[in-house]
Amino acid sequence: MSAGSPPARLVVLLSGRGSNLVALADACARGELPAEIVLVAANRADAAGLDRARERGLAALALPSKGLSREEHEARLVAVIEQARADWVCLAGYLRLLSPSFIERFASRIVNIHPALLPAFPGVDAQAQAWAYGVKVSGCTVHLVDAGCDTGPIVLQRTVPVLDDDTPDRLAHRILEQEHVAYPAALRMLLSRPWRVEGRRVIFS
Ligand code: GRF
């Protein structure tokens, strides 16, 4: 995005607490991110992240996936994302795997944050996986989303030490602090600098 262009329109998808949504919303509000959140959608009506969105005056929508096929649910999701005229889809604790056709539709415009240094510890409970494995450094990864599980090209990573007296919860807390820095920073880079994907590598020029 160049100076004077309109802010990028972000749709945030979540399933739970919404602390990364809050970090993105705060960064937008502080003018640190050339973007606005035009919709927050959750696949669970009880996702606390929807309350966080509403508290901030953001449009928030529950699109429950329960009882629907993946196709039916994604068709509804695509409809609201397109209606919101989204430029980017930001996954922030969205606990559903997206289909290849959804990913193709928003190709190179879907980002995710994962609480480990990918490609180590993809999938659920990444912080506990890293703790149990005994790594001495962990962190978080912001990546473009492809059809695999946490396999897309990496945009940005931040590290944290794993301490001898850590528990999975303490480690998760330390990683989460870095997630709240990494997600806005990665989006800022994607929105404000030219970039391309070469092989698996995201290159900023
Ligand atoms: C974060 O740890 C994120 O990395 C993972 O899901 C969690 C979401 O947390 N994908 P929150 O809902 O943003 O607080």
Side-chain angles (χ1 to χ4, degrees), residues 54-182:
R54 292 187 188 110
E55 285 160 13
R56 283 168 174 72
L58 301 172
L61 185 67
L63 275 181
S65 45
K66 219 174 169 182
L68 297 180
S69 69
R70 185 154 78 158
E71 244 175 22
E72 289 166 333
H73 183 250
E74 281 192 358
R76 293 182 190 188
L77 199 53
V78 166
V80 296
I81 292 171
E82 291 191 337
Q83 199 175 20
R85 290 182 293 115
D87 299 308
W88 284 85
V89 177
C90 304
L91 309 183
Y94 188 64
L95 298 177
R96 274 177 77 88
L97 202 57
L98 296 163
S99 71
S101 72
F102 182 98
I103 287 157
E104 209 162 291
R105 189 154 198 143
F106 303 104
S108 296
R109 289 292 176 271
I110 311 175
V111 267
N112 182 41
I113 183 146
H114 182 74
L117 296 176
L118 292 171
F121 313 120
V124 294
D125 284 335
Q127 306 95 326
Q129 288 184 55
W131 176 84
Y133 195 93
V135 294
K136 299 299 185 192
V137 176
S138 191
C140 60
T141 303
V142 181
H143 64 94
L144 300 174
V145 172
D146 66 12
C149 176
D150 302 321
T151 51
I154 291 169
V155 180
L156 184 78
Q157 294 183 301
R158 287 181 69 90
T159 59
V160 304
V162 182
L163 307 178
D164 288 346
D165 62 352
D166 263 345
T167 60
D169 278 355
R170 263 189 239 160
L171 177 59
H173 178 78
R174 193 173 315 111
I175 292 172
L176 191 63
E177 288 175 341
Q178 294 309 310
E179 293 184 40
H180 297 161
V181 178

